[in-house]
């Protein structure tokens, strides 16, 4: 299983079937999560030059009609990844409001170490 699917499976309990890679469909029920891979870089090289470990950074957007719902959903993601056996950390968190749609977002950047 690739790390993107593993990550999706990890955060899926936070929003049920409302977890979408890259972008949510226009008719998606709120609140929901979107996620995508910001970067993936080799982190460790053996003496022979082979890669043993990668650092992948995901962006997760907790999207909701109210700010409180977005904050609550983001907190659920934080708690869920905190209990993951993969080494990870929240690199950044920010709040956004999308005027065109009226949606509140809490955006998390999550760094994950994996083979």
């Amino acid at each position: 299983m690739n790390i993107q699917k593993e990550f999706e499976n990890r955060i899926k309990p936070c929003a049920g079937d409302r977890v979408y890679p890259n972008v949510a469909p226009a008719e998606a029920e709120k609140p929901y999560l979107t996620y995508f891979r910001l970067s993936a870089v080799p982190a460790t090289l053996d003496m022979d030059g082979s890669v043993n470990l990668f650092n992948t950074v995901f962006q997760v957007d907790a999207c909701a009609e109210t700010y409180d719902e977005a904050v609550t959903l983001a907190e659920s993601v934080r708690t869920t990844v905190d209990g993951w056996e993969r080494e990870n950390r929240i690199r950044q968190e920010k709040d956004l409001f999308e005027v065109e749609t009226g949606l509140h977002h809490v955006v998390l950047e999550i760094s994950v170490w994996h083979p």
Side-chain angles (χ1 to χ4, degrees):
M1 175 183 318
N2 64 40
I3 191 65
Q4 291 93 321
K5 193 62 174 173
E6 186 178 336
F7 184 76
E8 180 179 324
N9 289 340
R10 184 71 195 178
I11 64 171
K12 197 168 199 157
C14 299
D17 61 349
R18 298 180 322 276
V19 177
Y20 307 99
N22 297 312
V23 65
E27 69 281 353
E29 182 183 340
K30 294 151 196 81
Y32 61 81
L33 295 170
T34 61
Y35 76 94
F36 63 91
R37 185 174 60 164
L38 281 176
S39 65
V41 295
T44 303
L45 297 176
D46 277 348
M47 296 301 277
D48 66 0
S50 61
V51 175
N52 287 335
L53 196 61
F54 288 87
N55 181 243
T56 298
V57 178
F58 291 99
Q59 178 174 309
V60 179
D61 286 26
C63 306
E65 292 179 346
T66 69
Y67 179 67
D68 286 342
E69 284 179 312
V71 168
T72 299
L73 185 53
E75 177 61 34
S76 178
V77 171
R78 271 195 304 287
T79 301
T80 297
V81 297
D82 188 46
W84 197 8
E85 65 278 357
R86 297 260 185 237
E87 184 69 32
N88 68 81
R89 69 179 182 91
I90 307 287
R91 289 185 6 171
Q92 180 178 344
E93 185 173 336
K94 62 185 172 185
D95 299 341
L96 300 172
F97 178 72
E98 201 174 306
V99 175
E100 298 82 18
T101 64
L103 286 178
H104 295 268
H105 298 255
V106 175
V107 181
L108 305 167
E109 284 185 16
I110 302 170
S111 173
V112 180
W113 297 90
H114 61 96

